Amino acid sequence: MYQNGTGNRRLRELPETEALRLLAGVPFGRIVFTRHALPAIRPVNHVVVGGQIVIRSSPGTILSAHVAPAEAVVAYEADDLDGYERLGWSVIITGVARLVTDPAEAAHLRTMLTPWVAGEMEQVIRIQPEIVTGFALVPAAATA
Amino acid sequence: MYQNGTGNRRLRELPETEALRLLAGVPFGRIVFTRHALPAIRPVNHVVVGGQIVIRSSPGTILSAHVAPAEAVVAYEADDLDGYERLGWSVIITGVARLVTDPAEAAHLRTMLTPWVAGEMEQVIRIQPEIVTGFALVPAAATA
């Protein structure tokens, strides 16, 4: 019950493989990056291919241009949290986002990843996870 | 339907007052900050008091210490997105996070904001919104 009374949950740390599996099982997450020297975040849909997170974006938002070096350190977060029951999980990845520059590969990945809004998101970006952290909120008494 | 086929949604920009109202109506969001020069994100629960977003955190995570100047530019995101129907909203705020240093005020705010996990989150932080952006995903044909 959401009574704003007790913080009777604890965090169960997720193994990396479980964290990536959970992230791959949901259709969207949030890309965290630096824009004009300020912290920025955007919800995007994703697929996980070969252990990498693949997203689409508009040129200039996350990666500056089509020219090399088009890469940036980013974080990526996905979760399934119930704020009322205070249960669920969150996975946070830190890694390097790189533009997919091979036209055939980019075209193939685009078929797997339809933006929610038409006419946007020309860039295909993949994120190589370097740090993967995840937790599940579980009742404080639980041992699972 | 989620057929990965069409991006038949469009973004309706939310007025600032509606964006803040939506954010205030959900129990948690995601604080986006810089940690060790890297983009970082954490899910946290929040309340909105006097137009400011109030959260709790552990010392050293978002703001470095109890000593002044304990402030940082952050982003804060909350959403209610249905990744399968591709409908919902997201609100992103950029602003300055400051430690609440007055003990009585901090104690009062703590009563409004119980962390989900016991024994953590000593700091009370408020975020003064400077930039508020929000969008709703609506069917591309809709005019509402």
Side-chain angles (χ1 to χ4, degrees), chain B residues 93-144:
Chain B
I93 281 165
T94 306
V96 177
R98 291 187 180 87
L99 197 62
V100 175
T101 53
D102 179 73
E105 187 179 15
H108 172 65
L109 291 170
R110 275 194 200 95
T111 66
M112 304 172 69
L113 199 59
T114 304
W116 296 358
V117 178
E120 304 267 348
M121 309 290 192
E122 282 306 297
Q123 284 186 338
V124 180
I125 293 170
R126 77 176 132 212
I127 303 162
Q128 173 65 49
E130 304 288 339
I131 305 167
V132 178
T133 60
F135 66 81
L137 282 166
V138 295
T143 56

Side-chain angles (χ1 to χ4, degrees), chain B residues 14 16 18 27-28 39 47 58 63 67 70 87 102 104 115 117 132-133 141 144:
Chain B
L14 297 173
E16 182 170 331
E18 184 179 355
F28 74 96
V47 288
S58 301
L63 298 178
V67 296
L87 295 171
D102 179 73
V117 178
V132 178
T133 60

